[in-house]
Amino acid sequence: MPKVAPKIKLNNGIEMPVLGLGTWKSYESEAYQATRDAIDIGYRHIDTAFVYENEQEVGKAIREKIAEGVIKREEVFVTTKLGGIHHDPEIVERAFRLSLSNLGLDYIDLYLMHLPIGQKFHNDNNVHGTLELTDVDYLDTWREMEKLVDLGLTRSIGLSNFNAAQTLRVLQNCRIKPVVNQVECHPAFQQQQLREHAQQHGIVICAYCPLARPQPARHWPPFLYDERAQQLAKKYGRTTAQICLRYLIQIGVVPLPKSSNKARIAENFNVFDFELQQEDMDAMEKYHTGVRTVPFSGMSGHKYYPFHDQF
């Protein structure tokens, strides 16, 4: 049996593994194989989304691993997300059922609102069409997501790319609390104030782009390539990516590293048998620049654009 990740308890009592496989920009056969490999390695937390256009492949891999007896359904934590084009309250449930059908599962563990900003709905295939934003209030969308929990279709619901004020507005008007907020988070963009706000309200921060979308040719980001990072890796006998993921786990963040390379998927998972000393945690904090790699700048004129606020 492979080792599996420790779990963190969400505010509704459900447990979620503290590291997951991200699948953004993993297309078709790549997402399928990455999910199969990840489950064999020990991952029990898989993150996808309607707009990734790979739910079918991810779901097929999970179902096959269940059929092969590698995992039981209740042992794998599956997250998917409501796309912006599906924010209108009257189509939230239908959109969810479409994702559920794509995945071929009986229920979802966690369903997130991908952004607080809605987009005009033309058809379900218009994911990457012209960006047409709408004024749908995300609270109205959230109330429809709560009904999905009532129906037993998803066990938990949460947010993604929400700032602190937007999160608070949901908390003040919700019947079912969000369990997580999935945001960009890595040593160069540490989200300290948002993390503290989330912790005060019992919300777990999940990190997409936890390695900040590395560009090896540019030796970027520094926390994976510079001399200090190399020395830290050498000290622990690890790679710089493992140091980064371990750092995030130790500050209470759930990282979702994306890879389609089996060796890299395994490397990213092998972070549970060492711990960074406080001095090295402090050294990692010095990498913070406050610059996002995914600013969603095309939406910056919208009234619900989340990133004008400091956090």
Side-chain angles (χ1 to χ4, degrees):
M1 283 290 290
K3 281 188 198 169
V4 296
K7 293 177 180 176
I8 188 168
K9 191 169 275 193
L10 304 174
N11 63 39
N12 59 2
I14 289 170
E15 292 186 321
M16 175 175 74
V18 301
L19 182 115
L21 177 76
T23 62
W24 182 42
K25 294 197 170 178
S26 283
Y27 299 115
E28 298 174 359
S29 61
E30 191 181 277
Y32 165 75
Q33 193 57 50
T35 303
R36 283 184 60 88
D37 290 341
I39 290 169
D40 287 339
I41 287 160
Y43 285 75
R44 296 295 180 264
H45 180 175
I46 311 293
D47 181 270
T48 183
F50 180 78
V51 300
Y52 297 174
E53 299 183 296
N54 60 18
E55 288 174 321
Q56 290 182 354
E57 292 75 25
V58 168
K60 182 182 180 209
I62 292 168
R63 294 195 314 275
E64 285 179 359
K65 286 297 167 186
I66 293 169
E68 291 167 19
V70 177
I71 49 168
K72 295 177 178 150
R73 171 63 188 93
E74 61 269 23
E75 292 171 343
V76 60
F77 190 98
V78 181
T79 300
T80 193
K81 308 178 190 79
L82 178 80
I85 62 169
H86 292 139
H87 273 219
D88 285 345
E90 61 271 19
I91 58 175
V92 169
E93 183 181 333
R94 191 187 63 76
F96 175 88
R97 289 183 183 277
L98 181 57
S99 283
L100 193 65
S101 172
N102 285 341
L103 286 158
L105 301 173
D106 294 331
Y107 67 91
I108 301 295
D109 295 275
L110 176 59
Y111 196 50
L112 304 181
M113 196 185 315
H114 210 146
L115 277 158
I117 301 168
Q119 295 166 242
K120 193 162 185 180
F121 177 77
H122 293 288
N123 59 67
D124 294 315
N125 301 317
N126 191 39
V127 172
H128 301 299
T130 307
L131 195 62
E132 297 175 83
L133 305 181
T134 67
D135 283 344
V136 176
D137 189 332
Y138 54 82
L139 288 183
D140 294 331
T141 310
W142 182 259
R143 290 183 186 111
E144 294 304 311
M145 289 173 62
E146 290 177 324
K147 293 175 186 175
L148 302 173
V149 180
D150 299 337
L151 291 167
L153 295 169
T154 183
R155 297 192 164 176
S156 304
I157 49 177
L159 310 171
S160 181
N161 296 301
F162 274 59
N163 64 31
Q166 291 169 332
T167 304
L168 193 58
R169 185 167 175 249
V170 172
L171 287 166
Q172 289 169 341
N173 292 279
C174 69
R175 188 166 54 80
I176 298 173
K177 280 177 69 170
V179 295
V180 310
N181 187 9
Q182 187 183 126
V183 296
E184 179 179 346
C185 185
H186 46 75
F189 194 71
Q190 294 169 19
Q191 296 272 28
Q192 184 178 348
Q193 290 168 292
L194 188 67
R195 287 186 353 244
E196 288 171 359
H197 183 269
Q199 189 175 17
Q200 286 165 15
H201 295 284
I203 293 172
V204 173
I205 293 290
C206 293
Y208 67 75
C209 297
L211 303 175
R213 301 169 77 187
Q215 299 175 40
R218 283 182 56 211
H219 277 219
W220 194 92
F223 63 80
L224 292 181
Y225 295 104
D226 75 8
E227 191 177 338
R228 180 172 44 177
Q230 301 293 341
Q231 287 174 348
L232 265 182
K234 190 175 178 185
K235 174 178 176 178
Y236 290 93
R238 300 287 166 157
T239 65
T240 55
Q242 288 172 322
I243 298 293
C244 168
L245 295 171
R246 183 67 217 177
Y247 166 76
L248 292 172
I249 289 167
Q250 284 183 223
I251 62 172
V253 169
V254 174
L256 304 166
K258 179 258 169 178
S259 181
S260 52
N261 176 295
K262 187 173 184 178
R264 194 71 45 75
I265 292 170
E267 175 192 315
N268 290 342
F269 191 74
N270 188 20
V271 292
F272 299 112
D273 57 352
F274 75 104
E275 197 164 309
L276 297 178
Q277 297 169 2
Q278 189 56 50
E279 63 186 18
D280 300 322
M281 294 291 289
D282 295 342
M284 291 299 288
E285 283 185 5
K286 293 188 173 115
Y287 283 113
H288 181 70
T289 64
V291 178
R292 295 177 186 276
T293 62
V294 189
F296 292 97
S297 49
M299 300 179 174
S300 62
H302 195 275
K303 66 178 179 179
Y304 293 141
Y305 181 72
F307 304 146
H308 291 314
D309 289 17
Q310 192 178 351
F311 67 97

